[in-house]
Amino acid sequence: DLSQKVRLRGSSELVELGDSFNSMTHTLRRDRELRQNMVADVAHELRTPLSVLRANIEAMQDGVLETSPANLESLHQETLNLGRLVEDLRTITLAESGQLKINRQVTDVSALAARVVEAMKTQFDAKGIELALDVPKSVRADIDPDRIEQVLRNLFANALHYSSSGSKVTVRLEQKDDGVLVSVIDTGIGISAEDLPHIFDRFYRVDRSRARATGGSGLGLAIVKQLVEAHGGRVRVESEPGKGSKFSFSLP
Ligand code: ADP
């Protein structure tokens, strides 16, 4: 685009060249701002778990907090949460800079969904939530099975966290003309129209205190979006507070 503009013939081209430099500067400045925001967000996210760890360890050193197995286990859990946060950050950074590798192979998406459901079944059972599969026998797509497994895990984890005992989560797979449509439908707390446009933003949470209690990083849906779009697909959400949510994504 720029190389064309450099072949100047008249003053109108000169104006155009100026415009294109301006827009490049604008883009660069926006990139820098985004990167600075990211660093600020990350620093903010790391601060809380780190201060929890520090305060607890200091309390143990001072003899105020018992070094019981239960207390050590909660510190251990906090380090696991930190580890997951760092892993999620790595994924999102690679994806946002277009460096995430998608290793496509023809995959039976029905079997993949069934496997992830099976792997997460005990967590759903423990909370008294039914996890149902509504999938045709075999639906194939050219995808990176590891990445799509992560997408499903993130969506299932959310459906689980934001639903209460006795409710139901359904995973639906549909073969469309232009690919596969996957939906994760819950009957949980739902999301308000006000929050809905933001939930795929990194670190966005409707209720920060609740999200911390569930150990979520606030990156789950941002990762879902990036991974689906890296496959050339789109994510969609429909939700109503008190009724539930439906997250769908297409895989061309
Ligand atoms: P988190 O780690 O906080 O779950 P996500 O990026 O996965 O982060 O989700 C962002 C926010 O969107 C959540 O904090 C929650 O408020 C909302 N959300 C996501 N999935 C659901 C769902 N199935 N039902 C209700 N709210 C949801």
Side-chain angles (χ1 to χ4, degrees):
D1 160 74
L2 190 64
S3 69
Q4 280 180 344
K5 300 221 168 99
V6 181
R7 277 184 255 118
L8 297 176
R9 276 162 307 171
S11 63
S12 76
E13 274 94 349
L14 204 65
V15 171
E16 258 184 59
L17 182 64
D19 284 350
S20 98
F21 271 126
N22 281 342
S23 96
M24 265 170 54
T25 317
H26 181 76
T27 309
L28 287 176
R29 193 178 303 141
R30 234 196 67 228
D31 281 357
R32 198 173 57 219
E33 276 165 15
L34 281 177
R35 210 165 38 238
Q36 281 166 353
N37 281 345
M38 175 80 166
V39 173
D41 286 346
V42 170
H44 180 84
E45 292 299 318
L46 292 176
R47 188 182 292 141
T48 314
L50 278 176
S51 36
V52 170
L53 275 175
R54 193 178 54 223
N56 280 285
I57 291 170
E58 285 171 2
M60 283 178 177
Q61 287 172 328
D62 295 346
V64 185
L65 185 68
E66 233 189 301
T67 51
S68 65
N71 286 341
L72 287 172
E73 179 53 28
S74 85
L75 290 187
H76 182 224
Q77 285 301 326
E78 203 66 44
T79 65
L80 293 181
N81 283 342
L82 265 173
R84 272 191 289 269
L85 175 59
V86 170
E87 236 354 271
D88 282 354
L89 280 168
R90 210 178 89 82
T91 307
I92 199 89
T93 314
L94 284 176
E96 284 183 3
S97 61
Q99 288 174 285
L100 198 79
K101 286 224 170 56
I102 299 294
N103 298 315
R104 286 182 190 270
Q105 57 192 79
V106 176
T107 305
D108 182 339
V109 190
S110 313
L112 175 68
R115 211 171 55 237
V116 183
V117 163
E118 201 48 46
M120 296 190 73
K121 199 97 189 166
T122 45
Q123 290 180 61
F124 278 79
D125 287 346
K127 208 175 160 184
I129 298 171
E130 189 191 340
L131 182 55
L133 259 172
D134 177 6
V135 303
K137 268 232 152 44
S138 168
V139 174
R140 289 174 176 280
D142 200 13
I143 56 163
D144 183 330
D146 294 336
R147 304 294 187 192
I148 297 305
E149 170 163 349
Q150 189 178 4
V151 168
L152 288 173
R153 278 182 182 274
N154 287 4
L155 292 178
F156 290 177
N158 282 347
L160 175 68
H161 284 143
Y162 302 107
S163 299
S164 48
S165 171
S167 62
K168 183 177 176 178
V169 173
T170 308
V171 191
R172 183 172 298 153
L173 243 71
E174 294 160 273
Q175 180 81 64
K176 302 276 182 190
D177 291 343
D178 54 352
V180 180
L181 186 69
V182 186
S183 311
V184 178
I185 306 149
D186 69 55
T187 54
I189 63 170
I191 304 155
S192 73
E194 197 187 334
D195 291 309
L196 218 47
H198 307 291
I199 56 164
F200 290 100
D201 296 350
R202 58 172 129 84
F203 299 122
Y204 189 87
R205 287 163 186 152
V206 174
D207 177 347
R208 299 194 76 85
S209 54
R210 186 203 305 275
R212 259 209 67 71
T214 61
S217 67
L219 287 171
L221 288 179
I223 289 175
V224 163
K225 184 168 188 281
Q226 290 287 346
L227 293 182
V228 168
E229 288 180 357
H231 281 80
R234 299 289 297 268
V235 290
R236 273 197 60 170
V237 58
E238 293 161 50
S239 188
E240 207 180 313
K243 289 256 167 67
S245 311
K246 176 178 175 180
F247 285 87
S248 310
F249 62 93
S250 57
L251 293 170

